[in-house]
């Protein structure tokens, strides 16, 4: 096991062998100081110490069984794994740094709030984007698997935003490359390597929680499994679920493929194959324990054969639960609609219920809302229960998803505070004992039948002899009883006489005793009178004390009244201060309005003087430009701190007014400032409301400066990431202006910005017809003449977005006929670049072809242009499994493609 893996186990450095040799449900002694998760770097750091598990010896248990409720404390262990940038993020976020910074040697993670402020968090393990699948398994899952083999329950769970690699970490089969095997496959390999065939058993069930309905992935007809809880032990059972015994690794892989085929998935903006359900793999391990049966000595100290035969074998039962949670998502970013939107709501509700339970456990709350969701009921043993739990949270580097990344990190921080009580699951195997006793019983019955035949003759003889002896004994017994009766009657009469004599003597003695009791009672009454007088005096003293307290209370009330009057005076003074503040604020607002009026008059004066005496204008806007110009030059260096400071000092409206300045340098620096502000999602709405979008579009139409065109197009591309802004851009003629800019531009970077803005607009289902009508697709075909790879990557992304929207509309029945892309002549370029050397271009083109092929109305055009051959190639050679699966499903579901393949005698 890799270095660092030993401390990742739930409170123990010991190996699995250290837990062997204990009795049923035995627990080890604990010296635990559970570590607490680190918080932000602005607060004091918290130092955590891992709890150490000491191996208990048989002598410490006294040779007997430990209490059933004994256990080992073990904190939930949390590791964070960073997904590398994908091709889309490499293009879209090329000008922005990652939102996280990892320090794996310190086990820390820094989350950037902005360029000058970060938050620091500590985890049990920090895995970079270069961490291998083997490293992840050894650090996160292997200690839990070893615990399951020793008889403990274990849980391995992945949590994170959709598309950050949860299913890749847990469920990757590694068919093409064994190094990519996930935790499920590697865990089963270790389990099968440890168990003994014939003596031990391993069985598996595979479930999914979809829309609060628990379904069997190995038997799709069983789609409403109930959850039964044992109120005494707290264990959860699933009656009717399919349980398959595993004998080799190949059969387990087949079960995983079968389950994944039945799992619900959908295509969203964030992930082409987004899981829409929570998957739970349950592995039950039953192992026999040798050398643990206690001896049953006989009187002479030797163990008899009967005692050995009645001794039940000892077994350990461990359960491993691997949970692949569906990714949390914001509906606005994922673009979920219709049924997919309802699926997203159900996923977010169940994850919210899980978060509430973890919050309650972390805060030691009295009430934990376990019953709010079926997910929390299924994971009841994993958080706050008896299982050893290991959680891996997956995050992405994109600054666009910083909010989701921060939420995932805080979920892991809270989970680190949850303490479980680990219990060893040992029990006697009474079933095998019963089978062994049945065999012995059959042998005894056969032996008994043989002996019964020999006894029959002897029984007849003994019966006759016994009857004779019984008759003689009855006669002797009757004579003896009569003699005894006479003797007891005589003794009874003598005893009666003796008791009467004793009773008379007792009556005489009781008279003297009564006199002594009366004297004693009189003495007690006198003592009670003395005590009563003392109590009376104490009562009088208490009444005097009460009167003193009443007088003190009256004095306190008087002092309280004076304090209240003082408070009233202070309140009046405070009200006066408030009224004075309101007056000052009114004066300030009046001064501001006057300042705005003076600025307006200065602008008007300047315009009039420009018409009469150019070059002699003073004040007004010219007085503002010398102040702002050096600040704008500084902001051109990409320093967001200075841009934010300038935004606060000058104001957005003033910055936007500089976009119309006569000085070309001022306009260039001003548009750079607006572009930097537009990169922040929080500023986009303010810029649009202040008229910034309109000003940027005017610059595209009026300015001839290539730099202004490039920066303005980049700012519009950032604003176009918001759906509401997309409609405004289309309504204000943005497509025509962007198309004109792309036609006239020669700089590849300008063309890349223009193509990126149009590509963002292509992802809106509602704007397809308008975008095509105003020449958006034609503009793409004109821009590709540049030939620059970055420009072509943006064009390919836009065409893929356009094709995906058309495919979604076609599947929903809102669109029929040929694709608008095909009608505008984009298909030849798509086919020509389907096998491009550039990975981003090729991936987007492959997705576009798959989406176009899903509309049966495009099939004939695609066959004529040679797109069918590219689809066959994609389904076989594409490095991405999700795109290969999509291409294969499209080819096998289209009657036109199937017919063409048969005519070409291609066996597919």
């Amino acid at each position: 096991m890799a270095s660092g893996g030993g401390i990742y186990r739930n409170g123990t450095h010991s190996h699995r062998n250290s837990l062997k040799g204990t009795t049923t449900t035995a627990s080890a002694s604990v010296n635990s100081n559970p570590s607490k998760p680190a918080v932000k770097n602005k607060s004091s750091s918290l130092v955590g110490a891992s709890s150490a598990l000491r191996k208990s010896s048989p002598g410490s248990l006294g040779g007997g069984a430990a209490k059933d409720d004994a256990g080992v404390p073990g904190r939930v262990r949390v590791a964070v794994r960073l997904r590398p940038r994908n091709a889309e993020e490499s293009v879209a976020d090329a000008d922005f740094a990652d939102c996280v910074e990892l320090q794996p040697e310190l086990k820390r993670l820094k989350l950037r709030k902005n360029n000058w402020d970060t938050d620091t968090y500590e985890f049990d393990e920090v895995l970079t984007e270069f961490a291998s699948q083997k490293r992840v398994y050894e650090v996160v899952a292997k200690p839990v698997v070893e615990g399951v083999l020793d008889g403990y329950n274990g849980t391995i769970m992945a949590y994170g935003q959709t598309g950050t690699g949860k299913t890749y970490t847990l469920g990757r089969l590694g068919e093409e490359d064994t190094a990519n095997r996930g935790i499920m496959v590697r865990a089963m390999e270790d389990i099968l390597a440890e168990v003994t065939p014939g003596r031990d058993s391993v069985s598996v069930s595979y479930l999914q929680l979809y829309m609060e309905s628990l379904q069997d992935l190995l038997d799709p007809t069983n789609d409403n499994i109930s959850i039964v809880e044992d109120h005494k032990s707290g264990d959860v059972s699933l009656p009717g679920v399919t349980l398959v015994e595993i004998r080799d690794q190949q059969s387990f892989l087949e079960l995983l493929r079968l389950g994944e085929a039945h799992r619900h998935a959908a295509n969203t903006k964030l992930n082409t194959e987004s899981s829409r359900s929570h998957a739970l793999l349950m592995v039950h391990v039953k192992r026999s324990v040798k050398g643990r049966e206690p001896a049953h000595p006989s009187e002479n100290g030797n163990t008899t054969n009967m005692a050995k035969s009645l001794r039940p074998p000892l077994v350990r039962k461990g359960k491993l639960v691997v949970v692949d949670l569906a990714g949390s998502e914001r509906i606005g970013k994922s673009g979920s609609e219709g049924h997919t939107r309802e699926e997203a709501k159900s996923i977010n509700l169940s994850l919210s219920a899980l978060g509430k339970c973890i919050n309650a456990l972390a805060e030691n709350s009295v009430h934990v809302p376990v019953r709010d969701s079926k997910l929390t009921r299924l994971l009841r043993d994993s958080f706050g229960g008896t299982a050893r739990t290991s959680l891996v949270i997956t995050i992405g580097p994109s600054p666009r998803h910083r909010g989701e990344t921060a939420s995932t990190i805080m979920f892991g921080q809270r989970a680190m505070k949850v303490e479980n009580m680990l219990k060893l699951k040992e029990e006697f195997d009474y079933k095998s004992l019963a089978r062994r006793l049945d065999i012995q019983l059959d042998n005894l019955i056969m032996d008994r039948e043989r002996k019964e035949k020999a006894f029959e003759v002897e029984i007849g003889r003994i019966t006759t002899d016994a009857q004779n002896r019984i008759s003689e004994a009855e006669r002797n017994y009757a004579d003896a009883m009569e003699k005894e009766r006479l003797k007891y009657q005589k003794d009874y009469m003598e005893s009666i006489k003796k008791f009467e004599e004793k009773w008379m003597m007792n009556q005489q003695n009781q008279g003297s005793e009564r006199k002594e009791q009366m004297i004693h009672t009189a003495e007690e009454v006198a003592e009670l009178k003395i005590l009563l007088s003392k109590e009376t005096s104490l009562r009088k003293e208490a009444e005097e004390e009460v009167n003193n307290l009443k007088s003190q209370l009256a004095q306190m009330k008087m002092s309280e009244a004076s304090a209240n009057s003082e408070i009233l005076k202070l309140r009046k003074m405070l009200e006066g201060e408030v009224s004075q503040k309101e007056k000052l604020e009114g004066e300030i607002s009046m001064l501001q309005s006057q300042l705005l009026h003076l600025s307006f008059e200065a602008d008007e004066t300047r315009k009039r003087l420009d018409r009469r005496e150019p070059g002699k204008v003073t004040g007004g806007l010219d007085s503002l430009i010398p102040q702002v110009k050096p600040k704008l030059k500084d902001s051109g260096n990409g320093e967001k701190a200075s841009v934010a400071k300038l935004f606060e000092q000058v104001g957005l409206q003033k910055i936007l007014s500089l976009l119309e300045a006569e000085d070309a340098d001022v306009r260039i620096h001003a548009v750079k400032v607006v572009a930097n502000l537009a990169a922040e999602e929080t500023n986009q709405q303010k810029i649009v409301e202040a008229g910034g979008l309109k000003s940027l579009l005017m610059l595209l139409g009026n300015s001839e400066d290539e730099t202004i065109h490039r920066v303005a197009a980049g700012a519009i591309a950032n604003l176009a990431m918001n759906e509401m802004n997309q409609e405004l851009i289309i309504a204000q003629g943005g497509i025509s202006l962007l198309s004109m800019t792309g036609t006239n531009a020669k700089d590849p970077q300008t063309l890349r910005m223009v193509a990126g803005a149009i590509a963002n607009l292509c992802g809106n289902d509602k704007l397809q017809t308008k975008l095509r009508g105003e020449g958006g697709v034609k503009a793409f075909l004109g821009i590709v003449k540049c030939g620059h790879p970055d420009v072509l990557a943006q064009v390919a992304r836009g065409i893929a977005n356009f094709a995906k929207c058309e495919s979604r509309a076609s599947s929903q029945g809102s669109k029929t006929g040929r694709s608008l892309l095909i009608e505008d002549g984009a298909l030849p370029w798509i086919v020509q670049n389907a096998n491009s050397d550039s990975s981003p271009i090729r991936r987007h083109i492959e997705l576009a072809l798959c989406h176009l092929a899903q509309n049966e109305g495009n099939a004939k055009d695609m066959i004529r242009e040679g797109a069918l051959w590219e689809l066959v190639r994609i389904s076989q050679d594409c490095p991405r499994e999700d795109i290969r699966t999509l291409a294969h499903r499209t080819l096998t579901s289209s009657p036109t493609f199937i017919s063409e393949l048969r005519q070409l005698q291609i066996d597919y």
Side-chain angles (χ1 to χ4, degrees):
M1 191 164 151
S3 63
I7 63 172
Y8 190 74
R9 301 185 61 180
N10 288 348
T12 174
H13 288 273
S14 62
H15 297 287
R16 291 184 290 106
N17 293 334
S18 66
L19 295 174
K20 296 180 180 179
T22 57
T23 57
T24 305
T25 324
S27 64
S29 60
V30 179
N31 182 10
S32 175
N33 289 319
S35 61
K36 301 180 181 178
V39 295
K40 297 182 179 180
N41 57 359
K42 294 181 180 179
S43 60
S44 60
S45 60
L46 301 178
V47 180
S50 300
S51 58
L53 176 63
R54 298 195 298 269
K55 181 172 66 176
S56 57
S57 62
S60 64
L61 298 173
K67 295 183 180 180
D68 293 338
D69 59 351
V72 180
R75 176 173 61 76
V76 173
R77 297 287 165 165
V78 181
V80 59
R81 187 181 193 186
L82 176 64
R83 170 181 59 74
R85 282 195 177 193
N86 54 35
E88 181 179 353
E89 291 172 346
S90 298
V91 176
D93 301 334
D95 298 332
F96 305 100
D98 292 349
C99 67
V100 293
E101 178 186 348
L102 303 185
Q103 296 177 334
E105 66 280 357
L106 300 177
K107 298 183 180 180
R108 289 180 181 172
L109 177 148
K110 289 187 177 182
L111 178 64
R112 289 191 176 92
K113 296 173 64 177
N114 43 51
N115 277 357
W116 58 89
D117 194 6
T118 61
D119 292 335
T120 302
Y121 303 92
E122 291 184 1
F123 289 93
D124 295 299
E125 194 68 39
V126 175
L127 302 168
T128 68
E129 64 270 31
F130 305 108
S132 64
Q133 291 281 75
K134 180 180 179 182
R135 167 67 176 168
V136 174
Y137 171 74
E138 290 180 343
V139 170
V140 176
K142 191 169 184 179
V144 179
V145 174
E146 291 176 346
V148 171
L149 289 169
D150 288 338
Y152 292 89
N153 287 346
T155 300
I156 304 168
M157 188 169 70
Y159 177 91
Q161 184 191 10
T162 181
T164 54
K166 299 183 296 301
T167 304
Y168 177 83
T169 300
L170 295 180
R172 188 75 171 183
L173 298 182
E175 295 175 328
E176 298 178 356
D177 187 359
T178 57
N180 290 333
R181 290 168 299 164
I183 287 176
M184 291 182 181
V185 178
R186 294 177 183 270
M188 184 56 68
E189 288 177 353
D190 284 357
I191 291 173
L192 292 176
E194 289 292 332
V195 298
T196 303
R199 188 163 60 91
D200 303 334
S201 65
V202 180
S203 55
V204 168
S205 57
Y206 202 8
L207 312 167
Q208 72 172 350
L209 182 61
Y210 174 71
M211 300 284 286
E212 282 301 303
S213 175
L214 191 58
Q215 303 174 0
D216 195 336
L217 289 175
L218 304 181
D219 182 9
T221 59
N222 189 7
D223 58 357
N224 192 13
I225 301 173
S226 59
I227 301 174
V228 179
E229 299 179 14
D230 189 342
H231 297 288
K232 294 183 179 179
S233 64
D235 294 336
V236 176
S237 60
L238 306 173
V241 70
T242 302
L243 196 63
V244 181
E245 186 171 355
I246 303 298
R247 298 185 182 278
D248 53 53
Q249 186 71 9
Q250 187 60 35
S251 62
F252 175 67
L253 293 177
E254 292 296 331
L255 285 180
L256 288 183
R257 293 191 192 98
L258 177 62
E260 287 299 322
H262 295 148
R263 191 173 177 189
H264 289 274
N267 185 5
T268 66
K269 291 182 179 180
L270 298 178
N271 194 353
T272 57
E273 290 291 333
S274 176
S275 301
R276 315 309 290 170
S277 65
H278 308 298
L280 294 93
L281 177 69
M282 296 184 178
V283 183
H284 302 268
V285 181
K286 179 180 178 181
R287 302 186 69 193
S288 299
V289 182
K290 291 183 178 181
R292 292 291 307 280
E293 297 87 359
H296 298 273
S298 61
E299 292 181 359
N300 57 3
N302 297 324
T303 304
T304 63
N305 293 330
M306 181 59 70
K308 291 182 179 180
S309 64
L310 294 177
R311 183 188 309 153
L314 192 64
V315 296
R316 288 178 177 171
K317 293 182 178 181
K319 181 173 73 173
L320 174 64
V321 181
V322 184
V323 186
D324 182 9
L325 294 175
S328 60
E329 63 181 55
R330 292 186 180 177
I331 296 175
K333 289 187 177 181
S334 65
S336 301
E337 294 181 351
H339 185 67
T340 308
R341 185 187 185 95
E342 297 301 321
E343 291 174 338
K345 288 182 180 178
S346 177
I347 292 170
N348 290 337
L349 284 174
S350 60
L351 293 177
S352 176
L354 177 61
K356 290 179 181 178
C357 289
I358 290 179
N359 288 344
L361 290 169
E363 297 172 1
N364 293 323
S365 177
V366 177
H367 172 66
V368 180
V370 178
R371 296 187 174 275
D372 287 358
S373 170
K374 287 187 178 180
L375 177 63
T376 54
R377 294 175 65 189
L378 288 170
L379 298 179
R380 185 173 187 174
D381 192 46
S382 303
F383 292 97
T386 63
R388 171 175 288 149
T389 300
S390 182
L391 171 65
V392 55
I393 59 173
T394 59
I395 60 175
S398 176
R400 291 178 294 164
H401 306 306
R402 185 197 172 279
E404 290 81 350
T405 301
S407 177
T408 301
I409 291 172
M410 293 311 301
F411 180 91
Q413 291 285 290
R414 290 189 291 267
M416 290 178 68
K417 298 180 181 179
V418 178
E419 284 279 351
N420 291 352
M421 185 63 68
L422 311 184
K423 289 186 180 180
L424 185 64
K425 308 294 182 180
E426 285 187 347
E427 61 182 31
F428 292 110
D429 190 0
Y430 290 102
K431 291 183 179 179
S432 61
L433 176 63
R435 289 193 296 269
R436 188 167 62 193
L437 293 178
D438 285 339
I439 295 173
Q440 294 181 4
L441 181 60
D442 291 339
N443 294 333
L444 291 174
I445 290 173
M446 293 174 63
D447 187 39
R448 179 176 172 275
E449 289 176 352
R450 288 193 301 268
K451 292 180 180 180
E452 280 182 352
K453 293 180 181 179
F455 289 160
E456 288 179 356
V457 178
E458 185 68 18
I459 288 173
R461 184 185 64 79
I462 293 174
T463 302
T464 303
D465 188 25
Q467 288 177 352
N468 295 332
R469 291 183 179 182
I470 289 172
S471 299
E472 183 180 357
E474 286 178 349
R475 290 192 298 270
N476 295 334
Y477 178 72
D479 296 338
M481 287 296 293
E482 183 63 23
K483 292 179 181 179
E484 288 292 328
R485 186 182 68 79
L486 295 174
K487 178 182 177 182
Y488 287 143
Q489 188 176 5
K490 181 179 179 181
D491 293 340
Y492 172 73
M493 295 303 294
E494 292 178 354
S495 299
I496 290 297
K497 290 180 180 179
K498 290 180 180 179
F499 284 137
E500 289 178 350
E501 292 175 356
K502 288 182 179 180
W503 182 78
M504 294 298 293
M505 293 176 66
N506 288 334
Q507 287 294 104
Q508 294 176 358
N509 294 331
Q510 285 179 357
S512 59
E513 290 177 358
R514 287 175 183 170
K515 292 180 180 179
E516 293 177 358
Q517 288 179 356
M518 292 177 65
I519 295 171
H520 182 67
T521 303
E523 292 176 353
E524 289 180 351
V525 169
E527 291 178 356
L528 289 174
K529 288 181 178 179
I530 294 171
L531 290 174
L532 181 61
S533 62
K534 291 181 180 179
E535 290 293 332
T536 303
S537 62
L538 290 174
R539 180 182 176 183
K540 291 180 180 179
E541 292 176 358
E543 289 177 352
E544 292 176 357
E545 185 69 22
V546 168
N547 292 330
N548 292 333
L549 291 174
K550 285 181 179 180
S551 61
Q552 293 177 7
L553 179 61
Q555 293 177 358
M556 290 176 65
K557 286 182 177 180
M558 293 175 63
S559 61
E560 182 181 359
S562 61
N564 289 335
S565 62
E566 187 68 24
I567 290 172
L568 289 175
K569 292 179 181 179
L570 292 174
R571 284 182 179 175
K572 290 180 180 179
M573 293 174 63
L574 182 60
E575 290 174 356
E577 293 291 335
V578 171
S579 62
Q580 186 66 21
K581 180 181 177 182
E582 290 176 353
K583 290 180 181 179
L584 291 174
E585 289 177 349
E587 293 177 358
I588 290 171
S589 62
M590 186 181 299
L591 291 173
Q592 288 178 345
S593 63
Q594 291 176 0
L595 179 61
L596 290 175
H597 183 67
L598 289 173
S599 299
F600 176 76
E601 290 180 351
D603 292 339
E604 291 296 325
T605 302
R606 177 181 176 177
K607 291 178 182 179
R608 289 196 299 269
L609 292 176
D610 286 340
R611 290 193 295 266
R612 297 176 184 176
E613 298 181 23
K616 295 184 179 181
V617 180
T618 58
L621 187 62
D622 286 346
S623 63
L624 176 64
I625 291 174
Q627 294 177 343
V628 177
K629 187 171 180 180
K631 298 179 182 178
L632 292 176
K633 290 182 179 179
D634 293 338
S635 66
N637 297 328
E639 296 293 336
K640 293 185 177 180
S642 61
V643 172
K645 186 175 180 181
L646 179 63
F647 179 77
E648 294 177 358
Q649 292 178 351
V650 178
L652 179 61
Q653 198 64 44
K654 291 291 185 179
I655 295 173
L656 294 178
S657 66
L658 294 178
L659 296 176
E660 302 176 3
E662 295 181 0
D663 192 335
D665 290 338
V666 173
R667 289 200 306 274
I668 291 172
H669 292 300
V671 75
K672 286 183 178 180
V673 172
V674 174
N676 284 329
L677 293 174
E680 296 289 339
E681 186 176 354
T682 55
N683 299 331
Q684 292 179 359
Q685 189 64 26
K686 298 178 181 178
I687 293 173
V688 173
E689 291 176 354
L693 176 60
K694 184 176 180 181
S695 299
L696 291 170
L697 292 173
M698 288 178 62
L699 283 176
L700 288 181
N702 299 334
S703 177
E704 298 179 357
D705 190 286
E706 185 79 7
T707 303
I708 292 178
H709 287 172
R710 182 179 69 254
V711 181
I716 294 171
N718 288 333
L719 295 176
M721 295 175 69
N722 185 291
E723 185 174 350
M724 294 179 61
N725 296 341
Q726 292 172 357
E727 297 179 0
L728 291 175
I729 292 171
I730 295 291
Q732 296 180 16
I735 291 296
S736 301
L737 293 172
L738 289 170
S739 301
M740 181 183 67
T741 304
T743 303
N744 299 329
K746 297 180 181 179
D747 182 16
Q749 295 302 320
T750 303
L751 292 173
R752 182 173 71 88
M753 294 298 180
V754 172
I758 300 177
N760 289 339
L761 296 173
C762 287
N764 193 321
D765 296 353
K766 303 175 184 177
L767 306 177
Q768 295 278 295
T769 305
K770 291 183 180 180
L771 190 144
R772 185 249 185 162
E774 296 188 14
V777 178
K778 298 283 188 182
F780 268 154
L781 298 179
I783 290 175
V784 297
K785 297 177 182 178
C786 168
H788 195 278
D790 292 343
V791 178
L792 297 184
Q794 292 297 330
V795 172
R797 181 172 69 87
I799 289 176
N801 289 342
F802 198 98
K804 181 169 68 173
C805 293
E806 282 194 328
S807 173
R808 188 185 300 116
S810 177
S811 63
Q812 295 174 355
S814 60
K815 184 186 184 308
T816 57
R818 300 167 65 204
S819 169
L820 299 179
L821 291 171
I822 295 177
E823 291 181 358
D824 280 1
L827 185 57
W829 184 85
I830 294 174
V831 175
Q832 181 183 354
N833 290 270
N835 201 12
S836 173
D837 294 335
S838 175
S839 176
I841 298 174
R842 184 175 63 254
R843 179 171 62 84
H844 289 306
I845 292 298
E846 289 173 347
L847 281 173
L849 284 173
C850 292
H851 289 308
L852 288 173
Q854 290 179 350
N855 185 358
E856 189 66 19
N858 301 331
K860 293 182 179 180
D861 294 291
M862 296 183 72
I863 292 172
R864 184 169 55 253
E865 295 293 339
L868 177 59
W869 297 104
E870 294 299 333
L871 284 172
V872 173
R873 178 191 62 77
I874 292 169
S875 66
Q876 296 175 352
D877 300 335
C878 181
R880 285 188 49 169
E881 183 178 357
D882 54 345
I883 299 179
R884 288 201 313 273
T885 304
L886 183 60
H888 183 272
R889 185 167 65 243
T890 302
L891 287 172
T892 56
S893 62
S894 172
T896 306
F897 288 153
I898 293 173
S899 175
E900 182 67 17
L901 290 172
R902 288 175 179 171
Q903 291 179 6
L904 297 174
Q905 297 182 353
I906 297 176
D907 187 11
Y908 188 76

